[in-house]
Amino acid sequence: MLRILLTIILPLALWVWAFVDCLTTPEDEVKHLPKVVWVLIVLLFPPLGPIAWLVAGKQRGFLPAASAGARPGQPADDRPGRPAPRGGRPLAPDDNPEFLASLKKNNKEHEDMLKQWEADLRRRERELRDRDEPEEGRKP
C-alpha cells in the first residue's frame, strides 16, 4: 500500500495540484517563463515539471517583487507605514486604513444616534410625568 502511495498517488496528486495552481496563477505572479510554457512543462514532464513549478515558477512570499528603484523592505509606492497589497489581493480588515476609518465614521454616527434616542427618551419621560402629575401640585 505504501509503495502504491509513494509511486502513483502522491506524484499524481502533486501533478494535478501543480497543474491547477499553474492555470489559476495570475500572469503577473509567474516568474522566469511565460505562463503557457510553464503549463506545458508541468503537463509534459510529470515528475520534474510540478517540482520545477513549485520551486521556480511562481512568485511566493509576503511582498510582491520590488519595482525598479524601490528599496528592499519598502512598499513599492514608498508610503511609509502602509503595507503593500500582495499581488493585488485585498488587505486584511485590520491592515486596511480605509476600513478602519469607516469604522470610526460608523462609530461616530452610532454615538450621535444614541444621543438622539436618549434625548427623545428624556423628553417622553418628562411628558408622561407632566401628564400624570396633578395641575395644582406643580411648582411654577
Side-chain angles (χ1 to χ4, degrees), residues 59-131:
Q59 176 180 333
R60 301 192 193 277
F62 294 108
L63 294 176
S67 62
R71 294 184 306 274
Q74 282 285 358
D77 58 353
D78 280 343
R79 289 181 291 181
R82 293 203 55 190
R86 301 180 315 201
R89 295 183 184 136
L91 295 172
D94 57 345
D95 292 336
N96 188 341
E98 288 130 14
F99 177 75
L100 295 175
S102 73
L103 287 181
K104 288 179 183 177
K105 179 184 171 209
N106 287 342
N107 193 20
K108 176 73 171 136
E109 290 173 0
H110 289 153
E111 286 178 4
D112 292 342
M113 189 183 313
L114 181 61
K115 287 178 183 176
Q116 288 176 347
W117 287 349
E118 288 175 343
D120 187 45
L121 180 63
R122 279 191 227 106
R123 180 187 55 80
R124 289 180 182 186
E125 286 176 344
R126 203 172 329 127
E127 288 174 0
L128 285 173
R129 232 180 322 190
D130 290 346
R131 190 179 59 169

Side-chain angles (χ1 to χ4, degrees), residues 1-10:
M1 180 66 183
L2 184 60
R3 185 178 303 166
I4 294 172
L5 178 70
L6 290 177
T7 59
I8 297 173
I9 297 174
L10 195 61

